[in-house]
Amino acid sequence: MTTNAAAWRSLTDAQRAGWTDLGLSISRTDSLGQTYTLNGFAAYCSVNNNKLDAGDAAVSDAPAIVTPADLLTVTLTLTAAAVSAAYTATPLAAGVRLFTWVSPQRSAGRKFEGDYRLLQVSAAAAASPAVLTTAYTAKFGVPIVGNRIFFSFETYLGGFKGSPFNVSQVVA
């Protein structure tokens, strides 16, 4: 975020105006269910944070909005030895990547999670399943039988993400 904040200061007035226009086209919903639009700086940071997370270069000029198709289904395989997610549609469309967010291991009785961390971003047009075992184990350790893990999957294209597909499961 600090990199984007510094880069925002170096934009021209015309570029900032383009981001302001883009921000007015992006609506979000807050925790109370109220809808709002982004200002130019928030739109710039949102798009470029997504691009940087995906390994893409940041952009100075506001892009046209693109909305990748959302996932239709996700089926987890979650054991102490294997973590993977089979999803549809597969493969993802040309240029579309899959952001995988996960939680630390939680009590099996937990039903809500607010602490998702970026685990990995797939290659463009990746085919199902997403094998997550190595990345999850490196970040959180071996999954422990009886613990719940929460997952959130988002499709990504050109700085924009689709709706999250959230699922959780107890380690078998």
Side-chain angles (χ1 to χ4, degrees):
M1 184 77 154
T2 57
T3 302
N4 286 332
W8 173 258
R9 290 190 295 269
S10 68
L11 296 181
T12 66
D13 287 340
Q15 287 171 320
R16 279 194 286 276
W19 285 102
T20 298
D21 290 344
L22 176 65
L24 293 172
S25 301
I26 300 173
S27 63
R28 301 273 167 85
T29 304
D30 67 18
S31 61
L32 299 175
Q34 299 172 338
T35 302
Y36 63 96
T37 58
L38 302 182
N39 63 30
F41 175 71
Y44 177 82
C45 288
S46 175
V47 168
N48 282 313
N49 285 343
N50 290 341
K51 287 179 116 0
L52 293 174
D53 283 344
D56 296 339
V59 293
S60 297
D61 294 324
I65 291 179
V66 292
T67 306
D70 293 331
L71 294 181
L72 302 174
T73 65
V74 174
T75 304
L76 295 175
T77 297
L78 184 55
T79 69
V83 181
S84 68
Y87 55 85
T88 58
T90 186
L92 297 172
V96 175
R97 299 182 195 178
L98 184 64
F99 274 56
T100 301
W101 303 83
V102 297
S103 75
Q105 299 179 58
R106 305 295 191 190
S107 164
R110 188 165 178 164
K111 296 296 180 193
F112 174 80
E113 181 60 51
D115 181 14
Y116 288 98
R117 302 172 196 184
L118 183 60
L119 184 66
Q120 72 181 31
V121 179
S122 76
S128 179
V131 179
L132 310 170
T133 308
T134 302
Y136 190 88
T137 302
K139 192 168 195 103
F140 296 109
V142 175
I144 298 169
V145 173
N147 283 349
R148 181 177 295 277
I149 301 174
F150 293 81
F151 295 81
S152 184
F153 301 94
E154 295 173 303
T155 53
Y156 161 88
L157 181 62
F160 300 93
K161 292 192 287 188
S163 301
F165 191 110
N166 298 331
V167 62
S168 72
Q169 188 170 309
V170 174
V171 180

